[in-house]
Amino acid sequence: MKHPKIFSGLAAVGIVVAITGCTPATQDPEDSIVPVISPTATTPTASSPSSSPSESNSAGEHSHDHGDEDPAKVELAKQAATIMTTWDPTKDFNRTAAEMRARKLMTKERAKEVTAPERPATGVEWLNAAEKKATSKPTVKLMTEHHEENTIAIAATWQWVTKDGESWAGEGKQTFYFTFTDEEPYKIRDYVSELT
């Protein structure tokens, strides 16, 4: 053997790695100071229907607020998502009509970017709601597992409700990602959404 020291060194490293891999890891000191947050029910607002505990605890979303999120920004995001998913297909040409109603919550620059498409909304859900003269009644929730800095994510689902009390679940979920101005009174600086 030409290099016994190299082989001895590699053997020693292998033993250390093997021993280290077999010993349990100790808890990181930071882990012990991270609070455990349990889901809690939100207080329903006049514009949103109350939610049952089973609705509040779906995967990836809870009805409680992040401890480090500015409560005023969270409420503004919830208000915007509620407006943007409240539709009356007998009056609204398409879903963008609701986004246009939320422009008052946006900066002037962002509000100018909201433009309605020239074609009307179609699809079985929209046409069925229009035929039955139903309005959407959204439920919005803070997405607590969304951790992009300076962004608040809100998930919205909805029920279609007629004046005579008939109701049925809307199809899908719309998730909004909002950013805000830096100083109060806050305005929505930008947002994107996805319908799933």
Side-chain angles (χ1 to χ4, degrees):
M1 272 199 202
K2 286 187 165 185
H3 303 287
K5 289 183 181 178
I6 292 175
F7 291 118
S8 298
L10 288 174
V13 168
I15 291 171
V16 169
V17 169
I19 291 172
T20 305
C22 294
T23 58
T26 58
Q27 185 174 0
D28 187 4
E30 283 188 7
D31 290 343
S32 62
I33 61 171
V34 175
V36 175
I37 302 173
S38 301
T40 58
T42 56
T43 305
T45 63
S47 63
S48 65
S50 62
S51 59
S52 68
S54 62
E55 291 174 336
S56 300
N57 296 330
S58 56
E61 54 193 43
H62 300 288
S63 54
H64 66 280
D65 295 341
H66 258 149
D68 58 348
E69 299 289 358
D70 185 322
K73 289 180 180 179
V74 171
E75 286 308 310
L76 180 58
K78 286 180 176 180
Q79 182 183 7
T82 298
I83 292 170
M84 292 178 182
T85 53
T86 301
W87 307 292
D88 182 347
T90 63
K91 295 177 184 173
D92 294 338
F93 188 63
N94 51 42
R95 292 174 189 249
T96 308
E99 290 183 49
M100 294 181 82
R101 288 191 290 272
R103 289 185 296 186
K104 64 185 178 190
L105 305 175
M106 302 173 196
T107 62
K108 289 178 184 175
E109 297 79 17
R110 183 59 178 104
K112 288 177 185 175
E113 294 178 25
V114 180
T115 56
E118 293 182 16
R119 58 188 170 87
T122 57
V124 174
E125 178 181 22
W126 189 267
L127 296 175
N128 185 42
E131 180 182 313
K132 294 183 178 192
K133 297 181 175 142
T135 303
S136 64
K137 301 292 182 200
T139 300
V140 298
K141 298 177 184 112
L142 176 68
M143 299 291 293
T144 58
E145 291 186 5
H146 175 77
H147 296 291
E148 188 170 327
E149 190 173 347
N150 299 321
T151 302
I152 294 177
I154 302 291
T157 56
W158 53 91
Q159 288 282 119
W160 291 101
V161 180
T162 64
K163 288 183 181 179
D164 63 0
E166 180 185 358
S167 69
W168 62 95
E171 298 173 8
K173 171 176 81 171
Q174 190 159 1
T175 304
F176 295 90
Y177 302 92
F178 295 102
T179 60
F180 303 90
T181 54
D182 296 327
E183 295 180 13
E184 291 191 61
Y186 298 120
K187 292 283 189 176
I188 296 168
R189 178 177 292 143
D190 200 12
Y191 73 93
V192 294
S193 72
E194 61 185 355
L195 187 61
T196 54

